Amino acid sequence: FFFFLALLENLTVAMVVGMPSTVVSRSSGVAMAISKPSNAMPFLTAPPCQSSKLPGAETGFDPLYLSEFIDIKWAREAELKHGRICMLATVGYIMQEFFSLPGYPGYTPNPIEAVSSTPPEALAQIVLVLSIIEFNSNKDKWTMDTMFTDPAREPGNLGFDPLKFGENKETRERLAMAELKNGRLA
């Protein structure tokens, strides 16, 4: 506001006196350049995940810089695993409204009541099966330091591909990106 008052005063004096107006800047323009800007947030420096060569990581969205102290492959493995669970949960949330096992005790189409009406043995069975899958898929490598000691291991690749989608290299990257984005959406 004060800048406009000063400019108006200078213009008024110049008109009255008949002299050309020159406004002197009190500061020069400040140039702030970042050596490696993030693709997602150009005002931040690029996080290490941006150069990891993983599908979807080139966007560089890591405003908390978690990829500086967390292995990006380990984080991607967790993201894919949780995305798959969320996609299955979304389908299950919708499908249980229309389909049920005949004679299943405790069935209710209301998703809020479904967990509390399910017998505890059935919930224990679900937890047991998921625990066995989790235990067998990691092959005794649980920590961030040991999970990716094999450099050929890709995050999220459990070796389960019955429809052979991974054999075609052209569509593999597109399908991996679609799985990642759909998991983020779910």
Side-chain angles (χ1 to χ4, degrees):
F1 179 74
F2 292 108
F3 173 75
F4 290 119
L5 286 178
L7 182 62
L8 184 61
E9 182 180 312
N10 284 343
L11 288 175
T12 307
V13 170
M15 289 173 150
V16 171
V17 177
M19 299 177 72
S21 164
T22 59
V23 178
V24 178
S25 173
R26 295 170 72 184
S27 66
S28 63
V30 177
M32 293 176 37
I34 297 174
S35 61
K36 277 179 55 178
S38 170
N39 291 338
M41 299 179 165
F43 52 87
L44 295 175
T45 57
C49 68
Q50 187 169 311
S51 59
S52 68
K53 307 258 188 303
L54 289 174
E58 69 276 353
T59 57
F61 184 76
D62 187 11
L64 298 178
Y65 294 100
L66 296 175
S67 59
E68 286 185 356
F69 56 90
I70 294 177
D71 183 19
I72 187 66
K73 287 185 174 183
W74 188 74
R76 177 56 58 91
E77 176 94 11
E79 181 181 16
L80 286 171
K81 194 176 290 186
H82 291 110
R84 289 169 182 163
I85 291 169
C86 290
M87 288 187 283
L88 286 173
T90 303
V91 171
Y93 186 81
I94 295 168
M95 293 300 288
Q96 64 92 29
E97 290 278 337
F98 304 111
F99 301 104
S100 69
L101 295 173
Y104 186 75
Y107 171 75
T108 176
N110 184 350
I112 305 300
E113 296 174 355
V115 174
S116 62
S117 67
T118 304
E121 296 84 13
L123 292 177
Q125 178 185 5
I126 293 170
V127 170
L128 180 68
V129 168
L130 292 177
S131 299
I132 291 170
I133 291 171
E134 183 76 19
F135 184 75
N136 289 334
S137 66
N138 286 328
K139 298 178 181 73
D140 294 332
K141 296 181 180 180
W142 299 100
T143 65
M144 181 172 52
D145 298 327
T146 61
M147 189 176 281
F148 290 98
T149 53
D150 181 15
R153 182 167 185 253
E154 297 176 11
N157 187 0
L158 301 176
F160 180 73
D161 190 12
L163 299 177
K164 307 292 185 216
F165 285 130
E167 290 180 357
N168 189 352
K169 298 296 180 191
E170 288 112 17
T171 61
R172 182 184 183 114
E173 187 173 329
R174 182 181 59 81
L175 291 174
M177 189 61 147
E179 179 187 24
L180 183 66
K181 288 184 176 182
N182 288 330
R184 289 174 178 172
L185 180 65

